[in-house]
Amino acid sequence: MSKIGYIRVSTEHQETARQQEIMCDYQVDRIFSEKISVSTQNALQFAKDRPPLRASPNYVREGDTLYVESISRLGRSTKDLLNIIDTLTEKGV
């Protein structure tokens, strides 16, 4: 069983250090991280094109735990969040 961390910040200018520190506290085995600048115009594309987030369910196996600093870091909308949760639940995470 592995501990997988997911880190996201919303702009190129934001730092991931605080979230990385939290992942260190959780002693995660692997971190998926991304810096994405999202505007209202490209929010739909953002939901589709998040390679680190899309890669994490392929890496996560049954019995693993996925750690995020907060639920807002995982999904930008309720629909996006539910799709991510469904994908992970299907894998037994």
Side-chain angles (χ1 to χ4, degrees), residues 48-78:
K48 294 178 183 175
D49 296 334
R50 296 168 65 188
L53 180 59
R54 297 299 173 216
S56 59
N58 295 327
Y59 181 83
V60 176
R61 302 289 179 244
E62 184 174 345
D64 289 352
T65 304
L66 181 66
Y67 290 83
V68 293
E69 180 267 334
S70 73
I71 203 75
S72 68
R73 301 295 84 202
L74 188 57
R76 294 287 294 183
S77 69
T78 301

Side-chain angles (χ1 to χ4, degrees), residues 36-49:
I36 301 281
S37 181
V38 179
S39 67
T40 304
Q41 293 82 14
N42 68 2
L44 183 58
Q45 193 63 34
F46 166 82
K48 294 178 183 175
D49 296 334

Side-chain angles (χ1 to χ4, degrees), residues 47 71-72 74-86:
I71 203 75
S72 68
L74 188 57
R76 294 287 294 183
S77 69
T78 301
K79 183 177 180 179
D80 186 36
L81 185 58
L82 290 173
N83 286 335
I84 293 163
I85 291 171
D86 285 345

Side-chain angles (χ1 to χ4, degrees), residues 18-44:
R18 182 180 57 80
Q19 292 180 58
Q20 288 174 338
E21 186 176 318
I22 290 168
M23 295 304 140
C24 286
D25 290 345
Y26 289 144
Q27 299 178 340
V28 299
D29 302 307
R30 170 97 189 252
I31 295 175
F32 291 88
S33 179
E34 60 188 342
K35 288 187 174 190
I36 301 281
S37 181
V38 179
S39 67
T40 304
Q41 293 82 14
N42 68 2
L44 183 58

